[in-house]
Amino acid sequence: MDIADWRRKIDELDRRLVELINQRAECAHEIGKLKRNSEMPIYEPDREKIVFDNIARHNPGPLSNIELRQIYERLIDVMRQIQRDEMAPETNAGSDHTELGTND
Amino acid sequence: MDIADWRRKIDELDRRLVELINQRAECAHEIGKLKRNSEMPIYEPDREKIVFDNIARHNPGPLSNIELRQIYERLIDVMRQIQRDEMAPETNAGSDHTELGTND
């Protein structure tokens, strides 16, 4: 395979990744709705550990767990913003999203 | 579905994401090897635009293109580190990786 072939493969992987990342966002959105209507706490710090443990346990390489975690920290940060907006869309628009932990 | 059900779905999606992200890393690694053995330039700025255009064009939502791009900027940053290490493993170990663009 030459470089163009590998890039075609990357572009194809990216299309599948975009689909799965959006499915994950939909799940975070649904959890946000359920939390809004329940007595569950907004912030559950143990959940982030479970997510990182899950990806590390299923990491086949070549990425190290540290590299994978670097990517996931950003992914979770974006999901957290979505869910926070879902939790309190009226009051939080435009505010920053830095003080909450992982909510998915 | 309750919150536990959605979290199980997230954990399942994460396992598939981890697999695909690692496949993408393998492609970046192979491109790094090919570049090392060819006259191709190390840095090709147009490639980053193609990657972002591809993900935006195939984004079904609910994530916005901006949110998706936030995630991808981190993903590409990690891939760039891998490829730079592949390009010059002897000289770049331990140096920072900030001056190169997207190389995959």
Side-chain angles (χ1 to χ4, degrees):
Chain A
M1 284 172 72
D2 64 15
I3 288 178
D5 294 325
W6 287 110
R7 286 179 170 165
R8 269 191 292 274
K9 185 164 177 179
I10 284 175
D11 292 344
E12 183 191 316
L13 286 167
D14 282 346
R15 290 191 284 274
R16 294 165 65 194
L17 281 165
V18 164
E19 174 67 33
L20 292 178
I21 292 167
N22 273 288
Q23 287 182 27
R24 196 188 196 286
E26 188 60 41
C27 294
H29 178 72
E30 292 294 330
I31 290 172
K33 283 200 285 187
L34 287 167
K35 281 189 174 177
R36 192 176 56 185
N37 298 322
S38 75
E39 296 298 312
M40 283 191 67
I42 295 174
Y43 175 43
E44 296 176 76
D46 290 347
R47 176 62 186 157
E48 183 166 319
K49 185 177 184 319
I50 291 169
V51 169
F52 286 133
D53 285 351
N54 182 48
I55 63 169
R57 201 165 50 244
H58 294 91
N59 179 18
L63 287 177
S64 67
N65 286 343
I66 290 169
E67 290 165 330
L68 197 57
R69 186 172 173 136
Q70 286 173 344
I71 296 168
Y72 255 77
E73 281 170 348
R74 178 67 60 85
L75 186 142
I76 286 171
D77 192 52
V78 170
M79 301 286 156
R80 184 187 301 152
Q81 289 175 227
I82 292 169
Q83 198 168 71
R84 192 182 186 218
D85 292 343
E86 180 60 48
M87 292 296 292
E90 303 82 2
T91 55
N92 288 319
S95 65
D96 74 41
H97 301 89
T98 53
E99 74 276 31
L100 290 180
T102 305
N103 299 325
D104 66 28
Chain B
M1 285 172 72
D2 64 15
I3 288 178
D5 294 325
W6 287 111
R7 285 178 171 166
R8 268 191 292 275
K9 185 165 177 180
I10 284 175
D11 291 345
E12 183 191 317
L13 287 167
D14 283 345
R15 290 191 285 273
R16 294 165 64 193
L17 281 164
V18 163
E19 175 66 34
L20 292 177
I21 292 167
N22 272 288
Q23 286 182 28
R24 197 188 195 285
E26 188 60 40
C27 294
H29 179 73
E30 292 295 330
I31 290 172
K33 283 200 285 186
L34 288 167
K35 283 189 174 177
R36 191 175 56 185
N37 298 322
S38 76
E39 296 299 310
M40 283 193 65
I42 295 174
Y43 175 42
E44 297 176 76
D46 290 347
R47 176 61 187 155
E48 184 166 319
K49 185 178 183 318
I50 292 169
V51 169
F52 286 133
D53 286 351
N54 182 48
I55 63 168
R57 202 166 50 245
H58 294 92
N59 179 16
L63 287 178
S64 68
N65 285 345
I66 291 169
E67 290 166 330
L68 197 58
R69 186 171 173 135
Q70 286 174 344
I71 295 167
Y72 255 77
E73 282 169 349
R74 177 67 60 85
L75 186 142
I76 286 171
D77 192 53
V78 170
M79 301 287 156
R80 184 187 301 151
Q81 288 175 229
I82 292 170
Q83 197 168 71
R84 192 180 185 218
D85 292 343
E86 181 60 47
M87 292 295 293
E90 304 82 2
T91 56
N92 288 318
S95 66
D96 72 42
H97 300 89
T98 53
E99 75 277 29
L100 290 180
T102 306
N103 298 325
D104 65 30

